[in-house]
Amino acid sequence: MTPVPATLPIAGPRRTRRELLRRLGGHRFRLGAALGTLLAGTAVTLATPPLLGSIVDAVAEGSGTGRVTTLGIALLVVAATGAALALLGGRMLVALVQDVLAALREDVFTTAIRLPVDLLESSDSSDVVSRVTHDVEAVSEAASDVLPDVTGAAFTIGLSLVGLAVLDPRLALAGLVCLPVHVLATRRFLARTHQVYGDIRRLESARGQSVIEAVHGAETIRAYGTQALHLAELSERGERAIARQRDGVRLRNRFTGWLNAAEFLGLAAVLATGYALFGAGAISLGAATAAALYFHRLFGPVGALLGSLDDIQRATVGLARLVGITDLAGPPDDRATVPRPARAPGPPEITVRNVSFSYDGLRPALSEVTLTVPAGGSVALVGASGSGKSTLARLIAGLGEPTGGRITVGSSAEAPAVRYLVTQEVHRFGGTLADNLRLARPAASDEELREALRAVGADWAQDLEAGPDTVLGPNGVPLDDGSVQHLALARVLLADPPVAVLDEATAESGAGDLLRTALARVIRGRTSVIVAHRLDQARDADRIVVLSGGRVAEEGSHDELLAQGGAYAALWRAYSRGGPAGCP
């Protein structure tokens, strides 16, 4: 029975607005300057319709070319000044929003990489990926391309209506005929698209999860010949996502049709009102022309403002998903004020009391496990595959909470001890050798990096011409699995945690004295838990715990367990005869 994946939280509309205002509030001066510049640019262009109306009046009255030329030059100055201010204000606003978005992106990434592993493993991995990629892109595109246009459009609409009212309030009232159509269309669009875009994000995440699972399990899929089943699942999820995307397209097309109808009604009302007022002698021909131009110039801004709701909706959905991630780190004030725990004065004792754990809530991976790792001591976990060694190691490392029982690291009066986990599935990150090592200690000097590599037996690193500045990976020096594990062990020394949990962390590092020396150097001076891949690793530990079926089967030193003649003794005899290279 497969457990239902956990769902990462999504912030509500009110919480999303509060977070956005909080982040913008930290840049009040820059925000005010940008908006003020945009407003000034829009206000300058407000003079364009009256100037055009004056030109019409000058021509109708037979004024000389000098007046028309003067008005034409004034029109060019207004257009140039308005365009310059709009460009400057737009750039200022984009720069501000990109800075705010960069901080949000960093907070999302920082929170995501610090999320509990059990939460990530119980949720779709593509959910996190889609949030830090597609959702960030949606917000970034809206911030860069849409926000300046929307802000300028809002100012243009407001000031144009003011201009109409100055010419004659009746002209402004005529233009408002389109308002009910705009309001109705916008409310219907927003009410429906928020759900549609949220569904699209979730369906795309599910489709991505199918791809990730198929790629990770490609060998198993081929072995069991289930390619057709996985392709059918991917096809079904893809069709559901595409169908929902079609719903979004239909909503956008209907919305655009309503906008066009509203523009037609408004312009017709303004023209009819202007004609009637001009016929009654209430306004001049130039004023009637200016009124029509004022309303006509609203077509672009209104279309941009309402048409951009599509992009704004996608960005809003993405922002809510991003804020949902950052909220997992706690309230902003807590993030800023809670000090980083200080390291305890010495390595702590680890106490495991009646610990049980289940991944799916049905089958126990651990049952009533009890053991103690003395302060500064080492314990090796030994057992067959599936006995619970790695599960216990991850719980001790703090990557998950026991289903039952308790794990205590140090006394309750001490600051929480830093626990460092290294597994055989270690990673080489992009960049240089120094970049990979300074993940553990950013301020480490080049000599400290070299010393850590020497201590774990990474002789290959001493021969690199560029030293710590050597680029690793496909575009640089390739590393085998053993060399990558050297990096992981060196990072332990650089981080210098009081507790080290090594889950077969030297499975590919080599054999013999070099392996034993590297491991001994890593665990020296700290409390250590070792999932032993090779039994000589277990032999060097202070205590050995043999697990079987999620329970402690045997416990003692190497010599004590050999004397008991139990499961460990049998494993050691097989290992000593040159049988399996490690634990079964």
Side-chain angles (χ1 to χ4, degrees):
M1 183 175 180
T2 303
V4 178
T7 302
L8 294 173
I10 300 175
R14 182 177 299 178
R15 171 71 189 103
T16 303
R17 285 193 297 270
R18 285 203 311 268
E19 181 65 14
L20 181 60
L21 292 175
R22 183 187 71 83
R23 291 179 178 273
L24 289 175
H27 305 271
R28 291 185 181 88
F29 177 77
R30 291 179 62 189
L31 180 61
L35 294 179
T37 304
L38 283 173
L39 182 59
T42 304
V44 168
T45 60
L46 190 65
T48 300
L51 286 172
L52 289 172
S54 297
I55 292 175
V56 171
D57 284 338
V59 173
E61 295 169 0
S63 301
T65 57
R67 175 171 172 76
V68 174
T69 301
T70 301
L71 291 172
I73 293 174
L75 189 62
L76 292 176
V77 171
V78 165
T81 304
L85 290 173
L87 178 62
L88 177 60
R91 288 187 173 180
M92 292 169 64
L93 188 59
V94 168
L96 165 63
V97 173
Q98 285 299 332
D99 287 344
V100 172
L101 183 60
L104 174 62
R105 184 187 296 113
E106 292 175 1
D107 288 347
V108 170
F109 183 77
T110 300
T111 304
I113 62 176
R114 293 177 178 175
L115 289 177
V117 173
D118 56 343
L119 174 61
L120 291 178
E121 291 182 344
S122 64
S123 62
D124 288 343
S125 56
S126 64
D127 189 9
V128 178
V129 174
S130 67
R131 295 194 191 208
V132 297
T133 54
H134 299 309
D135 290 327
V136 169
E137 290 173 4
V139 177
S140 179
E141 290 174 0
S144 301
D145 303 332
V146 178
L147 186 58
D149 294 338
V150 168
T151 305
F155 288 156
T156 300
I157 293 170
L159 293 179
S160 295
L161 291 176
V162 171
L164 275 173
V166 169
L167 291 173
D168 193 292
R170 288 167 289 186
L171 292 172
L173 291 175
L176 293 178
V177 168
C178 64
L179 186 60
V181 180
H182 280 148
V183 171
L184 177 62
T186 301
R187 291 186 64 180
R188 289 168 61 89
F189 180 77
L190 292 178
R192 297 181 180 181
T193 53
H194 187 79
Q195 180 63 44
V196 170
Y197 289 144
D199 291 344
I200 289 173
R201 283 285 187 269
R202 287 188 290 271
L203 291 170
E204 287 178 343
S205 176
R207 179 175 58 187
Q209 183 67 22
S210 293
V211 175
I212 291 174
E213 291 174 351
V215 171
H216 286 177
E219 294 183 1
T220 303
I221 292 172
R222 285 195 297 267
Y224 286 94
T226 57
Q227 294 94 329
L229 293 175
H230 286 273
L231 286 173
E233 179 185 38
L234 178 60
S235 175
E236 187 268 338
R237 292 186 176 183
E239 288 176 357
R240 290 175 60 190
I242 293 172
R244 205 55 173 148
Q245 289 170 350
R246 285 199 298 266
D247 293 339
V249 171
R250 280 194 290 268
L251 288 174
R252 289 195 296 272
N253 290 340
R254 292 172 187 168
F255 183 55
T256 301
W258 280 104
L259 295 184
N260 292 334
E263 291 172 356
F264 171 79
L265 289 174
L267 182 58
V270 170
L271 288 173
T273 303
Y275 178 77
L277 293 174
F278 174 70
I283 61 173
S284 67
L285 179 60
T289 302
L293 291 173
Y294 265 131
F295 191 83
H296 187 270
R297 78 195 297 262
L298 294 178
F299 285 10
V302 169
L305 181 63
L306 299 181
S308 63
L309 290 177
D310 185 49
D311 295 316
I312 293 174
Q313 279 288 81
R314 283 196 293 267
T316 300
V317 171
L319 185 60
R321 287 160 57 85
L322 294 174
V323 174
I325 292 288
T326 60
D327 282 349
L328 293 174
D333 293 341
D334 292 346
R335 295 178 224 162
T337 59
V338 174
R340 186 174 181 178
R343 176 172 172 172
E349 180 182 80
I350 300 175
T351 304
V352 179
R353 286 287 178 266
N354 301 319
V355 165
S356 299
F357 183 81
S358 174
Y359 287 100
D360 57 12
L362 299 174
R363 294 164 295 183
L366 295 173
S367 298
E368 301 292 329
V369 173
T370 295
L371 61 90
T372 299
V373 187
S378 61
V379 165
L381 304 179
V382 174
S385 178
S387 61
K389 304 186 301 296
S390 294
T391 299
L392 180 57
R394 290 162 69 86
L395 293 178
I396 292 174
L399 303 183
E401 293 294 330
T403 306
R406 184 177 181 181
I407 297 177
T408 303
V409 180
S411 67
S412 58
E414 295 174 343
V418 177
R419 289 167 275 180
Y420 206 102
L421 172 68
V422 182
T423 73
Q424 62 179 337
E425 297 177 358
V426 292
H427 299 280
R428 174 200 53 77
F429 298 92
T432 66
L433 175 61
D435 293 334
N436 274 265
L437 293 174
R438 288 195 174 107
L439 291 170
R441 194 197 301 173
S445 66
D446 286 353
E447 183 54 36
E448 288 174 324
L449 302 184
R450 294 189 183 94
E451 176 58 31
L453 290 168
R454 281 194 294 267
V456 298
D459 296 333
W460 55 269
Q462 314 303 324
D463 300 329
L464 298 175
E465 292 184 5
D469 295 326
T470 301
V471 177
L472 305 180
N475 298 323
V477 176
L479 298 182
D480 57 24
D481 291 341
S483 298
V484 175
Q485 287 185 328
H486 278 139
L487 293 182
L489 293 174
R491 282 197 287 260
V492 178
L493 296 182
L494 290 168
D496 193 25
V499 176
V501 181
L502 307 172
D503 186 357
E504 300 189 11
T506 54
E508 303 291 341
S509 304
D513 293 338
L514 180 62
L515 172 63
R516 296 177 64 182
T517 300
L519 187 63
R521 177 64 183 86
V522 167
I523 67 175
R524 185 185 308 160
R526 61 188 106 252
T527 307
S528 305
V529 176
I530 306 162
V531 177
H533 176 73
R534 302 172 58 87
L535 286 188
D536 53 2
Q537 299 170 1
R539 178 185 60 188
D540 294 337
D542 298 330
R543 301 285 291 175
I544 300 171
V545 175
V546 181
L547 294 173
S548 177
R551 298 178 180 273
V552 175
E554 296 178 347
E555 181 179 359
S557 67
H558 174 75
D559 293 336
E560 291 172 347
L561 293 178
L562 288 182
Q564 292 178 14
Y568 179 81
L571 286 173
W572 181 258
R573 286 193 297 270
Y575 179 76
S576 300
R577 288 196 300 265
C583 300

